[in-house]
Amino acid sequence: MTHHAHARTLREHPLAAPGAGPYGVTGADDGSLWATLVHHGQIARLAPDGAATLYPLDSATCGPSLITPGPDGALWFTRTQDDRIGRITAEGEAGSFALPVPGARPFGIAAGPDGALWFTEMNTDRIGRITPDGEITGFPLPTRGGFPSFVTAGPDGALYFTLNQADAVGRITVGGHVTVHALPTRGAAPVGITAGADGALWFVEIGAGQVGRLTPDGDVREFPLPRRDSRPHAITADPAGGCWFTEWGANRIGHVTAEGEIDLVDLPTPRSEPHGIAVTADGAVWAALENGSLARLAP
């Protein structure tokens, strides 16, 4: 373990009842943190002073999953269980937009360079786009049962997404042109993806226990984790270099450098099931724990 882990203190902040399932997490411009409570149909806000507010959505079973700041100052999230894209203002006013295809199961979501939000549809091999006023378009993928999962804005003006069941990473331009990059490892099952500070895309392979790096010109490198059964789930860029990721199966948060050097930090509570991860402007790393808390790794 290097200085990354040693220089930091780890604390858990209770957010909701055990079983609420904090899942996706993201920081907002005002220093607050927003998380989805996937099992309770709520969105949580953690203020900079540590005060938590829970906002119930219009359906307790809508399955809010991933969440991202939008170009309009609101937070946007996927509602996987009822095929809607949700939006919540900084004041906690929530609304949603129905997807045209039933059973789409939207999951990943990210703001694109075109002023719209882009999302994945796990069950329909489609990437969707929604404007802040709710206009939705969809782009079919060449895969069948590819299970598009997370999506992120790339360094080249396109969006990149993981194809969990196709062992591939896809790229889509804002015009809808799709390229698919196959991964070297069979059964990799990539999930989380982020644009690193080094101009590459970084992703985690939940099936193979590896972190991967893809350059926009298609070069792929894979870095095995110490525990191949650690089930890495989500990954986010560290502005200071490298990326942070969660190990759902090993109860840890990890850091990978641009060269692939890996450091790991154990979570204090056993079986806390870390999912989403975010780095806030102050350099703190936050992980959403399904046990009802957010873990904060202070710089």
Side-chain angles (χ1 to χ4, degrees), residues 16-64:
Y23 193 85
V25 64
T26 194
D29 287 345
D30 64 355
S32 63
L33 211 71
W34 293 76
T36 57
L37 302 182
V38 66
H39 301 310
H40 283 188
Q42 296 172 319
I43 303 293
R45 178 183 187 267
L46 191 67
D49 65 3
T53 313
L54 303 185
Y55 298 105
L57 301 173
D58 56 12
S59 158
T61 57
C62 66

Side-chain angles (χ1 to χ4, degrees), residues 194-291:
T194 190
D198 61 345
L201 287 303
W202 288 79
F203 55 93
V204 283
E205 301 176 355
I206 201 168
Q210 299 187 126
V211 177
R213 178 183 187 270
L214 168 75
T215 59
D217 61 8
D219 181 58
V220 178
R221 287 178 70 192
E222 292 173 312
F223 305 100
L225 295 170
R227 266 186 60 185
R228 301 300 286 274
D229 64 349
S230 61
R231 311 286 292 166
H233 174 82
I235 188 165
T236 193
D238 181 355
C243 296
W244 292 93
F245 57 93
T246 51
E247 288 191 342
W248 179 80
N251 208 50
R252 295 191 295 216
I253 295 171
H255 183 274
V256 60
T257 67
E259 293 74 44
E261 221 175 286
I262 287 158
D263 296 303
L264 299 165
V265 184
D266 289 305
L267 291 169
T269 307
R271 291 191 298 282
S272 48
E273 298 192 40
H275 280 289
I277 193 161
V279 180
T280 43
D282 58 0
V285 182
W286 292 85
L289 311 179
E290 270 208 63
N291 69 1

